[in-house]
Amino acid sequence: MRLSANETTMPRLHLIGTLGLVLIVTLAMAGFFSWQNIQEQRASLGRVEEAVSQEQKARLTAEMQSATDYLEFVRQRTASVLRRRAVEQVDMAMQMAQAIHARESGKRPAQEVQRLIVEALRPMRFFDGRGYFFIDDMQGRFVLLPTGPEFEGRNGIDNQDDTGHYVMRGLIEAARKPQGEGFSSYRWYRPDAPKQMAEKLAYVRRFEPYDWLIGTGDYLYEWENRQQQEALGRLRSLRFGASGHIGLLSSDGRSLLSPSNAALEGLLPRQMPSHARKALETLQATAQAGGGFVEYDWPRTDATAAAASEPVMGRKTALVSTYAPWGWVLVTSMFNDELRPMMDAERQAHEQGSTERRVRLALVLLAALALGVAGSFAFSHWSRHLFLRYHRELQNAQANLRIAAIAFESQEGIFVTDEHSTILRVNSAFTEITGFSAAEAIGATPAMLRSGKHGPEFYAAMYESIRTSGAWSGEVWNRHKSGAIFLEWLTITAVQTEDGKVTHYVSTLTDITQRKAAEDEIRHLAFYDPLTRLPNRRLLLDRLHQALLTSRRTRRQGALMFIDLDNFKLINDTMGHDKGDMLLQQVAQRLVATVRQGDTVARLGGDEFVVVLENLSPQPHEAAKQAEVVAEKALLSLAQPCLLAGIEVKNSCSIGVVLFTDDNANADDLMKHADLAMYQAKEAGRNTLRFFDPEMHAAVVKRVALEKDLRTGLREGQLVLYYQAQVDAMDRVLGAEALVRWHHPQLGMISPGDFIPLAEDSGLILPLGQWVLNAACEQLARWAQVPAHAALTLAVNVSGRQMHQPDFVAQVLETLERTGANPRRLKLELTESLLLDNQEDAITKMTALKAYGVGFSLDDFGTGYSSLAYLRRLPLSQLKIDGSFVHDLVNEPRATAIVRTIVTLADSLGLQVIAEGVETPEQRDCLARNGCHTCQGYLFGRPGPVEALNIYDTAPAATPA
């Protein structure tokens, strides 16, 4: 049947549908809330159980921490207790000695007074009979030794313990310290184990009249045992909760402390009843696994368990941790059901609350059902009149829809006025932006928002734009209800009828205060350093450009100062970047306070600052003085200590200064010149200033060009190898030293002193050194083809960078294999400073190469840190006497003594010795008289091509490799 909707049937159909919907919703709500109630109860009980468990573990953790802290306190005071007791005993002995000396020194000979003091102290015992007084003189002789009187009168200055520590020397050193500080630690034989040494602490004081030291001491382990017993007694008495206590196990599982069953103390798990053995094995396994929480069964000790004939077991939770210094295993434990009453009470409360909630839910649902039925009947009655009013309200609804379509399609603040500017409607965003509620705004005019920052002409232009174009938009300063002024973007649109008559005005507004602030912040970040708030590089270059233009126009000098903090990286690395940032902020403040208001202080980044001084004197020398005054003020200011979060830090800076007035000067060149001057200041020792000198730039340009040419020379084969002969006592050539030379296409022969340091600084020393090694090995291979030359050796200098390469050994071996050179004819020359950088690494690499036959010569020996300690360990085959000693050999006896010492040292270590820089027969003869028969120098030939070596008649006979 087709239903028709009219004033009679529509309310009835609506009533039936509404009643059915209310019933369905009621039943759905009843089912949902019942299910929700059950889920909430389960979740709540789960949270309570978890909370109870966490509370139990937190309690065990807190008790464990407390026990561990107490043990650490007891252990750490062991030494302090012994120190205090030792000081008391020695002070008493000193008083006795001083009293005897004061009483008898004028009456008896000194030796008899000394004997009286010794015999007075000899029988005295303390520290449970272990303690006694000893007396030694300050030269190390035993004066009183009650435990070994047979040693009295002997000298023990060289006595050592099993660690190599000199016992007597340590006591003498301690006696020189002020009273109360003369402690010395060493190891000495235990009374209970005469062949085993233990740590002992002694306290001594100097007895001035006889230059004695009087002291006593005791073994630390004795005092530590005493502290352990004290700790056991304290822990035995600790209890927490109804069943919580602390237990102790030894490292082998023996029970040291069992408050709940003292009978178990001292027993191993295998000696205990089965239930106790199983529990202790569980605890021991947990300790061996690193500790943590564990559950186990343990006999209860409450009243119920006491009345039972058999042990009543209960479940316990324990926290196991190891106290490493004493090798103890700590166990804090309590029965799990100790917190069970809390859980039961919580469950009962939840069940009672659940019943009450069900009753309330049923009542609420019945009330809702009744209310829904009543509402349905009321709505049915009301709907009859709905159709009568529908057509009357249709026209008004259409007008409202036109307004709503324009006014409320935006989320911005909106207010609607009539044609007379009276506010009719506002939205919530309007209230949030202006602070005025709808009740306060409706009926008023927008004039209530005026801030007073705009004059009448501003509003006249606004109204004129609306009249002519129907709209206006722009930025307006308005006043919030609180009185605060804010900037907004306002758009006003006129609502017109079809015939063009204005009926309403719709205005939208947006608070753009934060956006403007963000734009200002972005603009500030673009030109200022966020840390120091100083101009950044972009703004600095702009101001420097303007300063250059001003200087050229006024013909007055300006100055650019480049400032770099000394050792800033050290502060950053040791104190943290936050302290480094605080230092940079203080530096910025001090620099700003140093210069004039019109000058510019900027931060380039890191620890680099730049200062631009303008309007200096037209005269260069006067301008330089003015700039120097400012730079000196900056040096003095930055040298003052800085307080960084309560820590006082001293720092300094290096400053480079360049003046500018030249029309051809530009910002980039000035920055480079000031940077060069700053690095000159750093090379001059830091904490100083330097003015730019054009020669600096020329030197840098020359160095850059030379580095570029050296790269080209390596690539194009401009390097050659020269050889200087090494001869024996019969002037026979034993070998040569390979020396690199550079034939520059334009500059000719360049001294190694010019390009070797450059190669070291630029990293070119690595390909250069590899080229030299390769060329030398190829020459050795060529010599090996001639039997007369097969025994010749070739020495090659090795740089520190080469030696420190991880694959240095592999490079050398690969070169030897590729060229076919005999490793036993290759000798690598090293300097002492190279070996001191990383001795262990150098020894490892040298040992690896020596295993293949490569020899090592220590170059310039005697000019560095010649140490017998490292000479003994290094796998050297030769020492090379430096030419500075050879030069003064004939006329300087000290040089002769040094050479003789080096030769003797080499002989004793089984090393060969060679002298370099030999230029006269007298020097050669003097070397021979002092045992050095192998020489190298101009006397036997200058460095030159291999053809210049006189090896064809003088080469030694080849020996098997």
Side-chain angles (χ1 to χ4, degrees):
M1 181 177 64
R2 182 176 181 181
L3 298 176
S4 60
N6 53 47
E7 295 181 6
T8 303
T9 60
M10 188 68 181
R12 293 176 181 174
L13 294 174
H14 189 275
L15 175 61
I16 295 172
T18 304
L19 289 175
L21 181 63
V22 167
L23 181 60
I24 293 173
V25 170
T26 302
L27 294 175
M29 290 176 61
F32 171 78
F33 285 113
S34 296
W35 173 81
Q36 186 182 44
N37 184 46
I38 294 173
Q39 295 301 317
E40 288 179 352
Q41 182 178 4
R42 291 176 179 175
S44 178
L45 290 175
R47 288 193 296 271
V48 170
E49 289 180 354
E50 180 65 22
V52 169
S53 176
Q54 292 299 324
E55 181 179 351
Q56 182 183 34
K57 291 183 178 180
R59 182 66 180 274
L60 292 175
T61 301
E63 295 297 331
M64 175 64 73
Q65 184 62 45
S66 175
T68 303
D69 292 344
Y70 171 72
L71 291 179
E72 185 64 17
F73 163 75
V74 170
R75 187 185 68 84
Q76 290 186 354
R77 74 173 186 176
T78 300
S80 62
V81 172
L82 175 56
R83 285 172 180 260
R84 185 176 67 252
R85 295 291 303 278
V87 169
E88 293 172 356
Q89 295 296 333
V90 172
D91 289 347
M92 180 186 72
M94 287 292 293
Q95 292 174 3
M96 292 178 60
Q98 290 168 353
I100 295 173
H101 178 267
R103 185 182 70 244
E104 303 294 337
S105 61
K107 304 175 182 179
R108 301 172 184 265
Q111 290 185 346
E112 189 172 349
V113 175
Q114 292 176 2
R115 185 182 58 78
L116 290 174
I117 295 173
V118 168
E119 295 307 318
L121 297 179
R122 184 184 299 277
M124 299 187 69
R125 294 293 184 273
F126 39 88
F127 297 165
D128 298 332
R130 298 185 308 276
Y132 58 86
F133 293 114
F134 60 82
I135 302 176
D136 305 317
D137 63 21
M138 295 300 285
Q139 288 73 43
R141 185 174 59 85
F142 296 103
V143 176
L144 169 62
L145 188 61
T147 59
E150 66 273 17
F151 295 102
E152 293 177 3
R154 297 184 185 179
N155 194 302
I157 194 69
D158 292 324
N159 283 0
Q160 295 177 275
D161 61 16
D162 57 0
T163 66
H165 173 70
Y166 287 94
V167 179
M168 182 65 75
R169 298 179 188 181
L171 293 173
I172 294 173
E173 184 65 26
R176 295 192 175 100
K177 296 180 181 178
Q179 182 177 348
E181 299 179 8
F183 293 98
S184 178
S185 295
Y186 56 93
R187 295 176 59 81
W188 202 244
Y189 295 102
R190 295 175 50 154
D192 55 346
K195 294 184 179 181
Q196 181 181 352
M197 286 190 174
E199 191 73 15
K200 193 171 186 178
L201 178 67
Y203 174 68
V204 297
R205 282 184 59 185
R206 188 171 183 177
F207 187 67
E208 299 280 352
Y210 299 131
D211 201 24
W212 285 355
L213 61 87
I214 299 177
T216 188
D218 200 3
Y219 294 92
L220 283 173
Y221 73 89
E222 293 286 351
W223 290 81
E224 192 167 66
N225 290 338
R226 178 183 297 181
Q227 296 300 313
Q228 289 178 356
Q229 295 304 315
E230 179 183 336
L232 284 174
R234 173 67 182 276
L235 294 179
R236 186 186 304 278
S237 63
L238 290 180
R239 294 291 187 276
F240 52 93
S243 62
H245 65 264
I246 299 174
L248 284 176
L249 304 176
S250 65
S251 59
D252 59 355
R254 188 182 300 277
S255 175
L256 301 179
L257 175 62
S258 179
S260 63
N261 188 355
L264 300 178
E265 294 179 1
L267 300 180
L268 289 170
R270 64 175 180 272
Q271 300 170 326
M272 300 178 183
S274 59
H275 61 270
R277 180 176 66 252
K278 184 176 180 181
L280 262 69
E281 287 175 348
T282 301
L283 296 175
Q284 186 178 10
T286 304
Q288 292 173 351
F293 290 98
V294 65
E295 292 190 3
Y296 59 94
D297 294 322
W298 191 256
R300 304 184 62 89
T301 57
D302 52 18
T304 303
S309 58
E310 295 292 332
V312 178
M313 306 301 290
R315 195 68 174 171
K316 297 187 77 172
T317 295
L319 175 59
V320 181
S321 178
T322 300
Y323 183 65
W326 288 349
W328 285 358
V329 177
L330 276 73
V331 181
T332 56
S333 64
M334 60 190 303
F335 283 101
N336 292 351
D337 57 1
E338 183 173 331
L339 301 177
R340 185 58 58 185
M342 182 189 304
M343 183 64 191
D344 295 338
E346 189 67 26
R347 182 179 288 104
Q348 184 177 0
H350 274 284
E351 292 175 353
Q352 182 177 357
S354 177
T355 302
E356 294 175 354
R357 283 194 295 272
R358 291 192 187 97
V359 173
R360 287 197 299 268
L361 177 60
L363 294 176
V364 169
L365 291 176
L366 289 175
L369 181 59
L371 185 61
V373 172
S376 298
F377 280 102
F379 183 80
S380 176
H381 177 74
W382 168 80
S383 63
R384 292 180 182 180
H385 304 280
L386 179 63
F387 291 100
L388 296 176
R389 296 197 304 268
Y390 174 72
H391 291 288
R392 292 196 302 268
E393 295 174 356
L394 183 57
Q395 274 188 320
N396 295 334
Q398 289 175 346
N400 290 335
L401 286 174
R402 286 198 302 270
I403 297 172
I406 297 174
F408 292 98
E409 64 184 5
S410 172
Q411 297 299 317
E412 300 171 331
I414 301 173
F415 65 95
V416 182
T417 69
D418 60 14
E419 67 272 22
H420 303 296
S421 297
T422 301
I423 298 176
L424 303 177
R425 187 178 300 178
V426 300
N427 66 354
S428 58
F430 173 88
T431 301
E432 293 178 3
I433 295 174
T434 65
F436 291 98
S437 66
E440 294 169 328
I442 294 174
T445 66
M448 68 178 182
L449 299 174
R450 290 187 179 181
S451 64
K453 283 196 170 188
H454 303 292
E457 63 281 357
F458 174 81
Y459 294 103
M462 177 191 296
Y463 294 141
E464 179 63 23
S465 175
I466 297 173
R467 188 185 66 79
T468 57
S469 64
W472 179 91
S473 62
E475 294 183 357
V476 180
W477 286 100
N478 272 342
R479 185 184 303 276
H480 192 271
K481 180 182 177 181
S482 64
I485 305 299
F486 66 95
L487 184 64
E488 68 178 28
W489 182 266
L490 177 64
T491 300
I492 304 175
T493 304
V495 181
Q496 301 176 350
T497 61
E498 294 178 356
D499 57 0
K501 181 182 177 181
V502 176
T503 60
H504 300 85
Y505 294 102
V506 178
S507 301
T508 61
L509 56 93
T510 304
D511 186 350
I512 61 173
T513 306
Q514 294 183 354
R515 190 184 77 187
K516 280 290 184 182
E519 291 175 356
D520 293 341
E521 180 66 16
I522 292 172
R523 191 177 299 108
H524 188 274
L525 291 174
F527 294 100
Y528 290 87
D529 173 49
L531 178 64
T532 61
R533 297 292 178 179
L534 295 178
N536 60 13
R537 178 183 288 272
R538 177 185 294 180
L539 184 55
L540 167 68
L541 294 177
D542 179 72
R543 291 189 180 179
L544 181 57
H545 179 70
Q546 297 299 325
L548 286 170
L549 295 177
T550 302
S551 179
R552 291 168 187 167
R553 185 177 64 253
T554 62
R555 308 309 301 171
R556 298 184 72 86
Q557 296 274 346
L560 180 70
M561 298 167 49
F562 204 104
I563 303 171
D564 187 87
L565 301 184
D566 300 328
N567 302 318
F568 176 73
K569 184 177 183 300
L570 178 62
I571 295 176
N572 240 2
D573 293 343
T574 57
M575 301 183 66
H577 290 279
D578 55 335
K579 301 297 188 301
D581 289 346
M582 293 172 62
L583 176 62
L584 292 174
Q585 291 171 339
Q586 295 192 30
V587 168
Q589 295 170 3
R590 295 185 184 185
L591 288 177
V592 171
T594 300
V595 302
R596 300 167 301 181
Q597 189 170 1
D599 297 328
T600 297
V601 179
R603 180 186 177 217
L604 293 185
D607 59 343
E608 295 177 340
F609 295 84
V610 174
V611 176
V612 180
L613 304 177
E614 299 184 55
N615 200 27
L616 301 180
S617 172
Q619 302 300 322
H621 65 281
E622 289 294 333
K625 289 183 179 178
Q626 293 172 340
E628 184 176 10
V629 169
V630 176
E632 291 290 352
K633 286 173 62 180
L635 285 172
L636 182 61
S637 177
L638 298 187
Q640 299 302 314
C642 295
L643 198 62
L644 308 180
I647 303 174
E648 186 176 279
V649 176
K650 296 194 69 175
N651 198 33
S652 61
C653 68
S654 301
I655 303 178
V657 186
V658 61
L659 301 178
F660 58 84
T661 53
D662 186 6
D663 291 343
N664 295 323
N666 61 69
D668 289 340
D669 289 342
L670 291 176
M671 293 286 286
K672 293 176 183 177
H673 295 166
D675 193 26
L676 283 173
M678 183 273 293
Y679 277 107
Q680 289 292 319
K682 283 194 176 291
E683 292 177 0
R686 303 176 185 244
N687 195 24
T688 186
L689 68 96
R690 287 291 183 270
F691 280 84
F692 172 72
D693 183 352
E695 292 183 359
M696 293 181 192
H697 184 63
V700 172
V701 171
K702 180 180 177 182
R703 181 181 178 88
V704 172
L706 191 62
E707 181 181 339
K708 179 180 178 183
D709 289 349
L710 181 55
R711 293 181 186 275
T712 302
L714 277 169
R715 188 172 57 253
E716 298 182 357
Q718 297 174 7
L719 300 176
V720 296
L721 213 56
Y722 275 21
Y723 302 85
Q724 188 174 28
Q726 296 179 343
V727 303
D728 61 8
M730 305 300 294
D731 289 349
R732 291 180 302 179
V733 177
L734 302 176
E737 181 179 1
L739 303 168
V740 65
R741 296 292 186 267
W742 180 15
H743 284 293
H744 194 282
Q746 287 80 35
L747 303 178
M749 186 70 76
I750 297 180
S751 169
D754 292 332
F755 72 85
I756 293 298
L758 174 62
E760 289 278 5
D761 294 341
S762 63
L764 291 175
I765 194 65
L766 296 178
L768 176 61
Q770 183 59 35
W771 179 87
V772 171
L773 179 63
N774 188 74
C777 288
E778 289 178 347
Q779 183 59 54
L780 279 174
R782 286 192 291 270
W783 280 344
Q785 302 301 318
V786 181
H789 303 160
L792 294 177
T793 61
L794 196 53
V796 177
N797 290 284
V798 176
S799 73
R801 283 201 176 191
Q802 285 180 275
M803 190 71 174
H804 294 153
Q805 290 185 99
D807 60 343
F808 173 72
V809 173
Q811 287 183 15
V812 174
L813 295 178
E814 189 275 334
T815 302
L816 288 167
E817 183 178 0
R818 176 168 38 79
T819 59
N822 187 347
R824 299 183 182 277
R825 304 304 176 214
L826 177 63
K827 183 166 53 181
L828 301 181
E829 291 196 0
L830 314 172
T831 62
E832 294 181 66
S833 59
L834 180 154
L835 297 174
L836 288 176
D837 287 341
N838 190 339
Q839 283 191 27
E840 297 303 325
D841 181 64
I843 292 172
T844 300
K845 292 176 179 177
M846 292 170 66
T847 302
L849 288 174
K850 188 158 188 177
Y852 287 89
V854 178
F856 289 93
S857 176
L858 189 57
D859 199 7
D860 302 332
F861 184 74
T863 61
Y865 307 93
S866 305
S867 166
L868 296 179
Y870 81 77
L871 273 180
R872 178 177 54 82
R873 299 179 60 203
L874 291 173
L876 297 171
S877 55
Q878 186 182 73
L879 298 181
K880 181 177 257 190
I881 301 173
D882 187 69
S884 60
F885 300 128
V886 176
H887 182 270
D888 300 329
L889 194 59
V890 177
N891 301 318
E892 178 59 52
R894 291 184 178 181
T896 303
I898 291 174
V899 169
R900 186 184 308 115
T901 302
I902 294 174
V903 172
T904 302
L905 175 62
D907 288 342
S908 63
L909 295 175
L911 302 178
Q912 302 172 5
V913 65
I914 184 173
E916 65 178 356
V918 181
E919 299 179 354
T920 66
E922 291 81 4
Q923 293 172 346
R924 177 189 60 188
D925 295 341
C926 188
L927 285 167
R929 287 195 300 273
N930 287 280
C932 179
H933 303 290
T934 306
C935 302
Q936 174 184 342
Y938 287 172
L939 178 62
F940 312 105
R942 292 178 176 272
V946 67
E947 295 81 5
L949 280 176
N950 185 20
I951 60 175
Y952 296 97
D953 298 322
T954 62
T959 58

